[in-house]
């Protein structure tokens, strides 16, 4: 039976950088999930009888919310929902299913790299028919609906067995439980030369892939071990767990430290990679070389033709504004377009749809291409394997040669997590107020050339997104960027990004923190980080 239930709005359902992310107890409030899902549907037109894709990263509360979304989708007139078995679909896999089966859109349940569990994070995100995160005009409409909602429609007593493949009916709507890995694995086979990768593993090349007890476990097992013949044991922590084994499923030098240490040890594997909660982020480590996400995008762009799916070349490259300009130099050399967007994968969608770019990347461990409309962790790992296989060189050699050819962009990000929101806002406000007076001033021996608050003019639809981060540019091309994260769930996270370009190969071997020491000090002088937040040092350095 379908019921209409009276409800009252919540005032905090504004989607952030990537969907609505809150602590689990917030989502567990009566009607909280129902209101938000109904608000998504209220913001959309024309989905009656159409298909919705549904899945998540398997975190705590995933299964319950899957049933609620099914019940609300049925009551609102969807014709079909394709749901990943066990409620599992990695974010890039969900994007692929939406595109491949021409669905109307999809709902992805994930809080990405944030921890999971009864007191940790949960998230709901809507992706549009191009398979990408809903653009701002839709997320704004969802928020507006959530503030005015009076009722939701729901089918009673929905309890679909999501572990069993096949199709069942719910109030006239079909629910097809699909294999979450199959379509994605096929897509990867269409882009990369699996024979060459099999030969690489056969030759004795050893890698470790850490799924951090999150969604890429089954994908990594199937693709790396089953299809590519990597030895058993290549995949680590491959059982998705509702609490990610108590860890933080964020592939970086802090949370994937064990993997990093193993690869760096003499007896360890040649290559290490990790992915996050929902499978869209990646970390790449070679022996003696951690590859920054900004460099990763640049190296993939420069070597793209080595993978069959990109053999004809790439049309352009896009990166988020805080990401280093390493990829810009490759684009310049290739004579292709290069775009700088605000943080958030949703900003790449228009550029990809319009064919202006093939590759996109972000400093936040995200790399992807036009094969889907999300960043894609395992895809990036396979691309690196493809480059290593084709060039017959180590990751370290590939990166060092890249720097020698294009110069090195020294890069680091400092995160100040869980700062009181008022203090973080005051810092940004004060900084914004002095932008006009900064040019021409000297800080720690560096001369400020330009300072602004980044705004983006989408070249495809003409939309404008303002206040996307404060940039302080110095003479010589170095810069510091300040912005507040849009994905945290408690307090505010201040992110400070430092970058310095060095053309001289003789100066490419300096420790990153040392190479950026003056910029790091200048950032504090300019923004008063310590005095505003009380934090003498960041919580995470990547
Ligand atoms: C999301 C977005 C990314 C963004 C990242 C960090 O990633 O999709 O585009 O770069 O958040 O955003 P912020 O700096 O605002 O925290 P994910 O992997 O969390 O979905």
């Amino acid at each position: 039976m379908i019921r209409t239930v009276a409800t009252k709005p919540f005032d905090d359902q504004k989607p952030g950088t990537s969907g609505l992310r809150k602590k689990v107890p917030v989502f567990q409030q009566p009607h909280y999930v129902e209101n938000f899902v109904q608000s998504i549907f209220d913001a959309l037109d024309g989905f009656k009888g159409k298909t919705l894709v549904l899945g998540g990263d398997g975190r705590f509360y995933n299964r319950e919310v899957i049933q609620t979304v099914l019940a609300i989708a049925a009551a609102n007139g969807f014709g079909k929902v394709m749901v990943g078995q066990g409620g599992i679909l990695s974010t890039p896999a969900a994007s692929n299913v939406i595109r491949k089966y021409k669905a109307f859109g999809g709902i992805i349940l994930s809080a990405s790299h944030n921890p999971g569990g009864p007191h940790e994070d949960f998230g709901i995100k809507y992706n549009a028919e191009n398979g990408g995160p809903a653009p701002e005009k839709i997320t704004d409409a969802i928020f507006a609906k959530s503030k005015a909602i009076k009722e939701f429609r729901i089918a009673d007593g929905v309890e679909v067995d999501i572990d069993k493949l096949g199709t069942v009916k719910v109030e006239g709507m079909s629910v097809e439980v699909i294999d979450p890995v199959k379509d994605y694995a096929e897509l990867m086979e269409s882009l990369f030369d699996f024979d060459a990768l099999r030969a690489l593993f056969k030759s004795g090349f050893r890698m470790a892939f850490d799924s951090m007890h999150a969604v890429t476990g089954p994908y990594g097992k199937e693709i790396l071990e089953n299809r590519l013949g990597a030895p058993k044991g290549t995949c680590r922590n491959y059982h998705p767990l509702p609490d990610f084994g108590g860890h933080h499923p964020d592939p970086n030098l802090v949370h994937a430290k064990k993997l990093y240490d193993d690869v760096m040890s003499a007896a360890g594997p040649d290559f290490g990679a990790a992915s996050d909660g929902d499978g869209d982020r990646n970390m790449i480590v070679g022996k003696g070389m951690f590859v920054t996400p900004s460099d990763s995008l640049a190296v993939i762009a420069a070597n793209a033709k080595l993978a069959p799916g990109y053999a004809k070349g790439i049309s352009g490259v896009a990166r988020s504004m805080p990401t280093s300009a390493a990829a810009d130099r490759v684009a310049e050399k290739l004579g292709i377009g290069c775009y700088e967007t605000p943080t958030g994968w949703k900003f790449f969608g228009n550029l990809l749809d319009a064919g202006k770019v093939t590759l996109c990347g972000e400093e936040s461990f995200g790399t992807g291409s036009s094969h889907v409309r999300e960043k894609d962790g395992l895809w990036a790992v396979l691309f690196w394997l493809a480059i290593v296989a084709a060039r017959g060189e180590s990751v370290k050699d590939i990166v060092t040669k890249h720097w020698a050819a294009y110069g090195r962009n020294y890069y680091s990000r400092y995160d100040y997590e869980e700062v009181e929101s008022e203090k973080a806002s005051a810092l940004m406000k004060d900084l914004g107020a002095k932008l006009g007076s900064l040019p021409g001033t000297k800080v720690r021996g560096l001369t400020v050339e330009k300072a602004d608050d980044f705004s983006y003019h989408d070249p495809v639809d003409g939309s404008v997104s303002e206040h996307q981060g404060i940039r302080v540019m110095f003479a010589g091309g170095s810069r510091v960027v300040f912005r507040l994260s849009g994905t945290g769930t408690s307090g505010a996270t201040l992110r400070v990004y430092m970058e310095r370009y060095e053309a001289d190969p003789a100066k490419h071997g300096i420790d990153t923190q040392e190479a950026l020491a003056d910029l790091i000090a200048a950032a504090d002088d300019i923004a008063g980080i310590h005095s505003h937040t009380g934090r003498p040092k960041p919580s995470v350095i990547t």
Side-chain angles (χ1 to χ4, degrees), residues 17 21 112-113 281 345 362 364 375 483 485-487 495:
T17 306
R21 290 185 190 168
S112 188
H113 53 291
R281 296 186 175 204
W345 205 263
E362 291 187 284
S364 54
K375 53 188 184 277
R483 62 178 282 279
S485 156
T487 56
R495 301 206 196 283

Side-chain angles (χ1 to χ4, degrees), residues 177-470:
V177 178
I178 60 167
D179 178 334
V181 177
K182 191 172 157 285
D183 291 309
Y184 179 83
E186 280 171 19
L187 176 64
M188 293 303 114
E189 286 205 74
S190 75
L191 298 173
F192 300 107
D193 179 352
F194 271 33
D195 286 338
L197 300 185
R198 269 189 284 270
L200 177 70
F201 286 117
K202 242 195 172 134
S203 73
F205 180 83
R206 290 290 167 264
M207 84 175 270
F209 179 61
D210 190 346
S211 291
M212 307 186 91
H213 287 303
V215 80
T216 55
Y219 296 85
K221 267 265 164 197
E222 173 60 20
I223 294 173
L224 297 169
E225 294 189 7
N226 296 347
R227 298 198 183 198
L228 294 177
K232 295 265 169 294
T234 296
C235 295
R236 300 177 174 186
N237 302 321
Y238 56 83
H239 287 298
L241 298 175
D243 67 347
F244 307 120
H247 299 297
H248 207 120
D250 196 358
N252 59 32
L253 293 179
V254 177
H255 300 296
K257 177 141 191 336
K258 169 140 189 3
L259 176 80
Y260 174 84
D261 290 344
D262 283 355
V263 177
M264 294 306 154
S265 71
D270 307 294
F271 180 83
S275 192
D276 72 329
D278 61 332
D280 55 3
R281 296 186 175 204
N282 74 89
M283 181 177 91
I284 303 291
V285 193
K287 203 163 278 304
M289 175 63 70
F290 160 72
V291 186
T292 71
S294 298
D295 279 347
S296 180
L297 173 66
V299 172
I300 289 176
N303 293 277
K305 284 188 171 177
L306 298 178
Y310 306 85
K312 291 199 184 111
I314 52 176
S315 62
V317 186
R319 61 164 174 87
S320 66
M321 180 274 281
T323 303
S324 97
D328 302 26
R329 300 181 193 285
V330 178
E332 199 185 334
K333 186 158 174 198
L334 293 175
I336 55 174
C338 182
Y339 299 84
E340 187 177 39
T341 59
T343 294
W345 205 263
K346 60 189 170 196
F347 292 103
F348 294 137
N350 279 346
L351 297 169
L352 289 162
D353 286 348
K356 288 184 178 296
V357 301
T358 306
L359 297 177
C360 309
E362 291 187 284
E363 50 67 38
S364 54
F365 293 80
T367 331
S369 88
S370 52
H371 69 292
V372 287
R373 291 294 179 275
E374 290 278 4
K375 53 188 184 277
D376 189 345
L378 200 43
W379 167 89
V381 174
L382 292 171
F383 219 133
W384 269 95
L385 290 174
I387 295 170
V388 168
R391 289 182 45 163
E393 291 174 313
S394 70
V395 169
K396 188 174 180 183
D397 285 347
I398 292 168
V399 175
T400 344
K401 286 183 186 171
H402 184 92
W403 290 337
Y406 295 92
R408 177 173 181 186
N409 290 70
Y410 281 100
Y411 187 84
S412 187
R413 183 177 103 182
Y414 280 26
D415 294 336
Y416 299 80
E417 295 174 324
E418 295 189 33
V419 172
E420 281 170 51
S421 300
E422 300 72 43
K423 291 183 177 169
S425 306
L427 181 152
M428 291 302 285
K429 197 164 162 249
D430 288 358
L431 188 56
K434 67 180 191 194
L435 287 182
S437 62
L438 284 175
T441 56
K442 265 200 166 215
V443 198
R444 306 268 170 170
L446 298 153
T447 306
V448 178
E449 208 168 66
K450 198 177 151 200
D452 67 4
D453 189 347
F454 180 63
S455 62
Y456 178 60
H457 296 252
D458 186 309
V460 179
D461 67 12
S463 60
V464 178
S465 304
E466 292 180 313
H467 306 300
Q468 297 296 330
I470 290 181

